[in-house]
Every structure is written in C-alpha cells, then in structure tokens.
Amino acid sequence: MKIGIIGSGHIGGTLTRRLRGLDHDVTVANSRGPESLTDLAQETGATAGTLEQAVRDAEVVIVAIPLLAVPALPAELFDGKLVVDANNYYPERDGDIPELLDRSLSSSRWTAEHLKGARVVKAFNNIQAAHLMENGRPAGSADRIGLPVAGDDADAKQLVMELVDSLGFDPVDAGTLDGSWRQQPDTPVYGTDRNAEGVRKGLAEARP
C-alpha cells in the first residue's frame, strides 16, 4: 500500500521502519521538513516528503504527532482519507483540554472532529515503540501481543486490523471511537503487552 506517516518520533519512526520492511510504499513527513528526514529515508528506503506529499496519494495515513499539533493540520487535505490515530493525550505536554481531561470525549473523537471527512481509526497508541519494533510474532505464537483497534467505519477498521496482523500482532476490535478511551493512558491495556484475550479483558475492565 501507499502509506503516509505524519511524525517521525518514536512511533512514527518505528512504523516507517516496520512498514518499509513489509515493502509498503511509505512517505514520511514531520514539522521540520523533508531535509530533517534524510537519515531515516536513507536507512529505510522511505520517501521524505512534505505533509501534502505524504497525505495526497496515500491509501492510509498514520498520524503520530503530539496531540496539541492536530488542530494545525489542514483538515481538507485529509478529506476521505483513512487516518490511523496513534496519538495520546498527555496534559503535561499538550496542555489542558477540558473535554479530554474529564474523558467526556475520547482523544480520537477529538481528533476526528478536527479532521472532519476523514475515516479515523485508533491504533498503535498503547504499545511502546521498542516493543512495536521488536516484538511482532507470527500468527498463532503463544507470546503474540494483542493491539486494540477502534473506529466507526467497519471497512477502515478491518483494513487497519489486517495491517496490525501483518506487523506481527493480534488485532482486537475495540469498538467505536467514542469507546477508544478504553485504550488511552492510565487504562489496563496501556503499555501492558497483553495477549488478545488479555486486551479484551482489559478493555472491559477500563473505567473512566
């Protein structure tokens, strides 16, 4: 697939490496410009591009940037796109966003409201980058980690679940974007590397 990755930090950089390893056509962009991505591009064979270049022809766009930067993204560029939201809300970094602080709104719903017209799916936000890089396992492995995937568009969610599986993790249907708070920080499945059954149990045990 043609995949655009917005953000080249821990998760964005890791997904660039892993997805290029699966021979996907990856264009990566960040806030500092393509010239800052030369090393990553040379290492992986990904294309270093602008935001527009990463999104324009992509079949899937992964957003892995600080949440506070989401409102600055040009919403019209993402219209009709399948957007994977790999972000988390950290108040100490992102500032006070009242509806996220009291969890009356999931951070992915908040993101989707800024990117109106995009088909937003929440994934890759609850696993450490090093584990995402190193701990993928073949299907059926006893130690395979489960990753929750949440979204409102069934076809978009299914495609992302297939991508998760191809990376070596068991995709777990985590419901809708409104329910995706169950995989946010300070929940049982956040950073705990549970198997698929453990993820299902953790999602059910999560409390606002």
Side-chain angles (χ1 to χ4, degrees):
M1 288 190 294
K2 288 184 68 67
I3 299 176
I5 298 181
I6 311 306
S8 59
H10 294 305
I11 294 295
T14 296
L15 285 170
T16 299
R17 293 177 175 92
R18 290 295 323 274
L19 292 168
R20 275 297 301 140
L22 296 174
D23 290 329
H24 292 292
D25 180 354
V26 176
T27 299
V28 59
N30 65 12
S31 60
R32 298 183 301 279
E35 63 282 351
S36 69
L37 295 166
T38 301
D39 289 346
L40 181 61
Q42 289 178 344
E43 174 196 339
T44 62
T47 299
T50 63
L51 176 66
E52 291 74 13
Q53 289 167 337
V55 175
R56 187 175 53 221
D57 297 322
E59 297 165 73
V60 175
V61 180
I62 299 170
V63 177
I65 59 177
L67 197 72
L68 60 85
V70 167
L73 295 174
E76 65 279 359
L77 186 63
F78 294 82
D79 190 40
K81 294 292 184 181
L82 195 172
V83 173
V84 180
D85 172 21
N87 295 341
N88 287 304
Y89 173 50
Y90 300 114
E92 64 275 13
R93 178 196 65 190
D94 301 314
D96 291 347
I97 303 174
E99 60 267 43
L100 300 185
L101 279 172
D102 66 13
R103 288 193 177 173
S104 61
L105 204 64
S106 71
S107 65
S108 283
R109 176 62 68 197
W110 185 86
T111 294
E113 289 184 353
H114 284 287
L115 301 180
K116 289 191 183 299
R119 299 182 295 154
V120 177
V121 176
K122 183 77 161 186
F124 302 119
N125 72 296
N126 74 308
I127 185 170
Q128 295 180 34
H131 296 185
L132 181 60
M133 186 71 202
E134 300 165 3
N135 293 356
R137 299 288 185 269
S141 299
D143 59 345
R144 207 178 200 220
I145 295 170
L147 293 183
V149 181
D152 299 338
D153 184 306
D155 290 340
K157 184 158 60 171
Q158 180 60 36
L159 192 151
V160 175
M161 292 177 76
E162 291 170 3
L163 199 59
V164 167
D165 182 53
S166 74
L167 288 165
F169 302 92
D170 278 334
V172 176
D173 190 330
T176 66
L177 283 187
D178 287 329
S180 65
W181 62 267
R182 294 178 181 275
Q183 66 195 74
Q184 291 178 177
D186 301 319
T187 63
V189 303
Y190 182 77
T192 51
D193 290 346
R194 296 178 175 219
N195 63 16
E197 186 54 40
V199 169
R200 293 185 190 96
K201 188 171 184 289
L203 292 170
E205 292 172 346
R207 295 293 178 266

